[in-house]
């Protein structure tokens, strides 16, 4: 199984630390966060990882190397000097992508089975994506997903509709065929793909049992630190 980790952001909300340290390399519970993340995906059965990197990405590549010490094969896709967004970064990584893969974020720790969305995608031909979701109800961030528990009925960032009471959990299984038609070298968000596939009725849902953790802010970093010190 293949996991793609998007780890190329500038992390401006974490300045000044992330002016000189790649976000994924920030220390969490005594170790660079990327160590925790790679160990987690390996424990869920993944053997192949593509790291999409950009700003200070050489720090991640030097630290992680080929991934062998994590029991993984790790390869790298470099966005270059112009950031392409989450969707653009995936398009840049196209030559490395399997026919079906999981994509997650380099600043997220998800206490669930990262393999479940990809298993569901691989076993169901009636969908092109499987989104992990959480019954958020506006608690941890703005809810953006309407679901019946089996399918993503709609996905819309910034909505205030109370029917959107779940949130994109941060682990999404996709078919490579969704990424191939995207324009190369252009900035675009992965949410555009998610919204389109949901509208087509081709996005299944996997409901996560526990809240997500992400360090888009110093407060989020403290929350992940506390969580990982307890595992």
């Amino acid at each position: 199984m293949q996991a793609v980790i998007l780890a190329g952001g500038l992390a401006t909300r974490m300045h000044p630390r992330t002016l000189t340290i790649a976000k994924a390399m920030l220390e969490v519970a005594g170790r660079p966060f990327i160590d925790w993340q790679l160990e987690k995906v390996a424990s869920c059965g993944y053997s192949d990882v593509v790291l999409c990197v950009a700003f200070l990405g050489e720090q991640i590549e030097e630290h992680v190397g080929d991934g062998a010490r994590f029991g993984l094969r790790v390869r790298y896709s470099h966005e270059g000097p112009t950031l392409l967004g989450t969707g653009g970064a995936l398009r840049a990584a196209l030559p490395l992508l399997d026919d079906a893969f999981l994509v997650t974020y380099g600043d997220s720790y998800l206490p669930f089975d990262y393999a479940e969305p990809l298993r569901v995608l691989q076993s169901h031909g009636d969908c092109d994506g499987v989104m992990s979701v959480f019954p958020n109800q506006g608690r941890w961030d703005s809810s953006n997903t309407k679901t019946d528990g089996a399918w993503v009925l709609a996905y819309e960032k910034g909505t205030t509709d109370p029917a959107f009471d779940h949130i994109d959990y941060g682990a999404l299984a996709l078919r490579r065929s969704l990424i191939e038609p995207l324009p190369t070298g252009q900035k675009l968000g992965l949410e555009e793909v998610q919204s389109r596939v949901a509208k087509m009725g081709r996005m299944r849902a996997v409901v996560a049992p526990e809240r997500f953790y992400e360090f888009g802010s110093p407060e989020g970093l403290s929350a992940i630190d506390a969580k990982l010190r307890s595992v």
Side-chain angles (χ1 to χ4, degrees), residues 27-205:
E27 185 174 301
V28 178
R31 307 169 64 195
F33 177 69
I34 191 66
D35 290 7
W36 292 103
Q37 195 168 44
L38 291 175
E39 287 182 359
K40 178 67 174 176
V41 297
S43 73
C44 293
Y46 287 89
S47 58
D48 183 45
V49 170
V50 175
L51 275 168
C52 295
V53 297
F55 181 65
L56 300 176
E58 67 278 1
Q59 295 180 0
I60 301 172
E61 188 166 0
E62 182 179 350
H63 176 73
V64 173
D66 64 3
R69 64 191 172 94
F70 300 98
L72 298 166
R73 177 179 71 157
V74 175
R75 293 172 293 164
Y76 300 85
S77 174
H78 296 265
E79 287 183 58
T82 302
L83 296 186
L84 301 173
T86 49
L90 269 185
R91 181 59 180 83
L94 185 71
L96 303 178
L97 300 183
D98 285 354
D99 288 342
F101 60 91
L102 183 92
V103 60
T104 189
Y105 299 92
D107 61 357
S108 298
Y109 183 81
L110 308 178
F112 90 132
D113 183 2
Y114 277 81
E116 187 176 3
L118 188 54
R119 281 198 300 260
V120 172
L121 180 63
Q122 291 174 328
S123 61
H124 291 84
D126 59 0
C127 61
D128 295 312
V130 178
M131 186 190 299
S132 58
V133 299
F134 179 70
N136 178 63
Q137 297 172 330
R139 286 174 295 175
W140 306 112
D141 206 337
S142 299
S143 297
N144 53 29
T145 305
K146 183 193 298 186
T147 180
D148 62 4
W151 292 89
V152 173
L153 305 177
Y155 176 81
E156 183 180 340
K157 294 188 74 170
T159 181
T160 57
D161 185 340
F164 289 71
D165 59 356
H166 284 62
I167 193 169
D168 175 7
Y169 192 64
L172 175 70
L174 294 172
R175 300 197 193 279
R176 185 181 187 272
S177 57
L178 290 175
I179 305 304
E180 194 168 8
L182 298 179
T184 60
Q186 294 186 24
K187 186 173 182 178
L188 65 139
L190 187 55
E191 64 271 12
E192 298 175 34
V193 176
Q194 293 169 270
S195 179
R196 174 166 52 85
V197 178
K199 287 179 181 178
M200 293 167 56
R202 300 282 297 179
M203 181 75 79
R204 282 185 172 268

